[in-house]
Amino acid sequence: MAVEEQDLEGKDSLLAFFGSEVRRLRAKKGASQDALAKATHCTRTLVNKIENAVRVPSKDFAKEADEFLDADDHLTRLWPLVILYAYPSWFRPFVELEKQAAVIRTFGPSVVPGLLQTRDYAKATLTVGRTNDVDTLLDARMERQTILERDNPPELWVVIDETVLRRKVGDDRVMREQLQRLLDLSERPSIVIQVLPFSVGAHSGIAGAFHTLTFKEGTKDAPTLPVVHVDGFLRGQLLADPADFKAAARAYDLLMGDALSVQASIDLIADVMKESS
């Protein structure tokens, strides 16, 4: 089935295009939805929802569908583009901007920030919300982290509250692996991790988690004005007003000043990891 030109217009066109490609390739092979469902270890209902752009496909679905449909990794190559739709609409602009950022600064007062989470730690945080689509959300969160593996990764500055290290998310194994992940990432030149100790008391980030994104000036098709993302209970808020960014930058500078030094932070993470052994 050919994709009509109007189907490719609008923000949701990529998800619709992925679904139409699954349908086209399935028809070309002469396979039923039931056959594709069996090959991809899911239900026919899920296949139908993916083909009609109602459900975001998992990475495993894309890979297994490619193999079954003899698609030469076509769907797998499309998948990084469509996984964006696993996020709620209000969060997608931030994820897109995050990919273009030259410098990311983030404060995590209660959990490890998503860019640094292990898959099992992320799963534990998502399962708490009793969502019905944990695996797809996990795939989306792990895909975000690929910006750290680029040849030119952004500078990532992270301040986490000591609470983050000591609150058990998942079991002891999950926490040890997450703490080890922080230690491993701290060795990268592009990543700085500091811990805000309990002894600080009230601090400039007490209102909650926030993130700032700064971009290289003059980069083609990239924004030049920095932005702030403030986490909220129901949804986050993306702020582009220079006054908001200035306030967030000042708050972050104060957090870094109150936090332990980089080496002292690494030592504390290692000590907490030993305690959980």
Side-chain angles (χ1 to χ4, degrees), residues 105-201:
R105 302 209 298 180
T106 182
F107 172 56
S110 56
V111 294
V112 173
L115 286 178
L116 306 182
Q117 291 177 1
T118 65
R119 189 176 183 89
D120 286 343
Y121 184 96
K123 184 175 183 178
T125 65
L126 292 169
T127 303
V128 157
R130 300 182 182 275
T131 177
N132 293 323
D133 201 13
V134 170
D135 288 340
T136 302
L137 288 172
L138 276 173
D139 284 344
R141 186 163 297 181
M142 296 300 104
E143 180 65 19
R144 272 180 67 202
Q145 297 181 4
T146 60
I147 65 172
L148 303 180
E149 309 305 324
R150 297 187 314 213
D151 292 337
N152 58 334
E155 291 182 25
L156 177 60
W157 297 72
V158 178
V159 175
I160 54 176
D161 195 280
E162 186 175 347
T163 302
V164 174
L165 305 181
R166 300 189 181 279
R167 174 178 287 113
K168 185 187 292 187
V169 175
D171 56 23
D172 288 338
R173 176 192 61 80
V174 170
M175 281 305 300
R176 284 195 299 272
E177 290 179 353
Q178 179 59 73
L179 294 174
Q180 184 61 57
R181 170 75 171 161
L182 293 179
L183 293 176
D184 293 342
L185 290 172
S186 69
E187 296 179 357
R188 300 189 185 186
S190 59
I191 299 177
V192 176
I193 300 174
Q194 290 179 269
V195 177
L196 189 70
F198 289 144
S199 59
V200 168

Side-chain angles (χ1 to χ4, degrees), residues 29-90:
K29 188 178 178 66
S32 66
Q33 287 187 340
D34 285 323
L36 179 56
K38 183 177 181 180
T40 55
H41 305 93
C42 67
T43 65
R44 183 190 62 78
T45 299
L46 179 58
V47 171
N48 184 64
K49 288 182 176 179
I50 291 172
E51 289 188 352
N52 288 283
V54 176
R55 186 74 171 268
V56 178
S58 68
K59 193 171 188 177
D60 285 342
F61 176 88
K63 289 180 177 179
E64 292 170 349
D66 267 333
E67 183 175 350
F68 175 70
L69 299 172
D70 305 315
D72 193 27
D73 293 334
H74 176 57
L75 299 175
T76 302
R77 292 194 299 271
L78 283 175
W79 181 83
L81 302 177
V82 301
I83 194 59
L84 179 66
Y85 297 95
Y87 296 114
S89 58
W90 56 264

Side-chain angles (χ1 to χ4, degrees), residues 107 158-162 194-206 250-262 264-265 268:
F107 172 56
V158 178
V159 175
I160 54 176
D161 195 280
E162 186 175 347
Q194 290 179 269
V195 177
L196 189 70
F198 289 144
S199 59
V200 168
H203 52 78
S204 61
I206 204 164
R250 175 173 171 76
Y252 202 87
D253 287 343
L254 291 171
L255 284 170
M256 290 193 298
D258 284 336
L260 299 175
S261 69
V262 173
S265 297
L268 179 57

Side-chain angles (χ1 to χ4, degrees), residues 216-265:
K216 289 183 178 178
E217 293 188 8
T219 303
K220 184 180 179 182
D221 299 326
T224 56
L225 290 177
V227 297
V228 183
H229 187 273
V230 181
D231 288 355
F233 175 65
L234 294 177
R235 62 177 58 198
Q237 188 176 12
L238 192 62
L239 307 173
D241 190 308
D244 292 326
F245 179 82
K246 183 177 180 179
R250 175 173 171 76
Y252 202 87
D253 287 343
L254 291 171
L255 284 170
M256 290 193 298
D258 284 336
L260 299 175
S261 69
V262 173
Q263 186 57 56
S265 297

